[in-house]
């Protein structure tokens, strides 16, 4: 468990002081992938750098597993930093060292004997999927591979926490996905707590269990990812949700659909944490003597299941349609059905 209380960071400047982190309070459960999202300048990087004291706070406390990070002296801090790994947007690799040597670096600093070091490095190379590239230099690797080296290096000393500062922002969408998959894999295999900061809601949607939204140095909203997607409260949160889902309130396509289809019934399915939406629709069309067509909608996956809205058209006898609707309502508790037409 990570507990952050009244955390502040003020950067003094000649004209006026900049409050990058402003009285921030947060509890991060052990073993979770916790996302922090915010626009540029919100204070995300400053916040994450306070967690391993790359920056010293102006006020407040950080406690990681009963250890008060903010109270440690330099020597204690050096040891405790081994328990906090970090990866960066631009990888921060050592360019004159090979993959193997980059990953071995933190082990050398920690004084791990050579034989043990080599064994650990091999294990990490396998974990991050870099077997065969051990002797390459960073300049010979793709962006995704470089970040894999960054991840392996961050995990070398078996940290309790992994901090990720925009770790996928320099990567293309497909490579981003593969790195995110790797982070999920590591979280599950090692039970590692991951804190990642990003300005992309896609990243939050795909891998985070919880999310906090930062604005002007403060957490303005937080909760389980699915809950925040469903009921965003703050304006800034709504804008982030729209990045992934579009603006569903302003969706005028329903009206067009009602005009277009004069036979059958249009039904809106709202999926909340449902994992089997595809299966549901094929089941309904098999089980009942009706035609089911998907008209429109968007369903997206989060760590806790699918979320989104689908409009379907059911055509057939009225009684059969009613049975199908009853079935949907009874089998999938998390699916809300509302009938909008006729
Ligand atoms: N070393 C520093 N000295 C002075 N001001 C700083 C320093 N680091 C950050 N700031 C200021 O603190 C505020 C927050 O910056 P920070 O880098 O934490 O934002 P961010 O959310 O990570 O933004 P981005 O998404 O662009 O990376 C900004 O106004 C920035 O100019
Ligand atoms: Mg930043």
């Amino acid at each position: 468990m990570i507990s952050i209380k009244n955390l502040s960071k003020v950067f003094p400047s000649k004209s006026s002081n900049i409050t990058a982190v402003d009285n921030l309070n947060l509890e991060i459960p052990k073993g979770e992938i916790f996302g922090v999202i915010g626009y540029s300048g919100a204070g995300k990087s400053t916040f994450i750098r306070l967690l391993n004291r790359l920056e010293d706070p102006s006020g407040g406390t950080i406690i990681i597993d009963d250890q008060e990070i903010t109270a440690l002296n330099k020597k204690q801090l050096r040891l405790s930093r081994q328990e906090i790994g970090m990866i960066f947007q631009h990888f921060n690799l050592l360019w004159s060292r090979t993959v193997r040597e980059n990953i071995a670096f933190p082990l050398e600093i920690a004084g791990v004997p050579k034989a043990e070091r080599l064994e650990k490095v091999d294990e990490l190379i396998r974990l991050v999927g870099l077997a065969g590239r051990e002797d390459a230099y960073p300049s010979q690797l793709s962006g995704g591979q470089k970040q894999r080296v960054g991840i392996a290096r961050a995990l070398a000393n078996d940290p309790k926490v992994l901090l990720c500062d925009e770790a996928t922002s320099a990567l293309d969408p497909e490579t981003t996905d593969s790195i995110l998959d790797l982070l999920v894999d590591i979280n599950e295999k090692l039970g590692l707590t991951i804190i990642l900061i990003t300005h992309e809601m896609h990243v939050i949607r795909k891998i985070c269990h919880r999310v906090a939204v930062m604005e002007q140095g403060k957490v303005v909203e937080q909760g389980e990812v699915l809950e925040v997607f469903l009921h965003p409260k703050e304006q800034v949160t709504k804008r982030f949700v729209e990045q992934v889902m579009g603006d569903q309130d302003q969706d005028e396509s329903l009206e067009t659909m009602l005009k277009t289809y004069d036979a059958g019934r249009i039904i809106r399915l709202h999926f909340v944490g449902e994992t089997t939406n595809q299966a549901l629709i094929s089941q309904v069309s098999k089980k009942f003597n009706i035609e089911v067509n998907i008209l429109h909608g968007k369903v997206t996956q989060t760590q806790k299941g699918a979320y989104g809205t689908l409009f379907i058209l059911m055509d057939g006898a009225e009684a059969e349609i009613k049975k199908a609707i009853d079935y949907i309502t009874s089998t999938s508790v998390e699916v809300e059905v509302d009938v909008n037409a006729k």
Side-chain angles (χ1 to χ4, degrees), residues 11 18 20 39-46 55 166:
F11 291 109
I18 298 166
Y39 287 107
S40 188
K44 307 181 296 295
S45 292
T46 308
E55 300 281 359
E166 301 279 3

Side-chain angles (χ1 to χ4, degrees), residues 175-205:
T175 312
T176 291
D177 280 351
S178 76
I179 293 294
L180 294 178
D181 288 341
L182 175 61
L183 290 176
V184 171
D185 190 42
I186 287 167
N187 166 257
E188 286 170 358
K189 266 197 198 134
L190 310 178
L192 184 72
T193 309
I194 297 181
I195 303 176
L196 65 87
I197 64 171
T198 179
H199 58 272
E200 291 173 297
M201 201 59 170
H202 162 76
V203 170
I204 302 283
R205 169 191 73 70

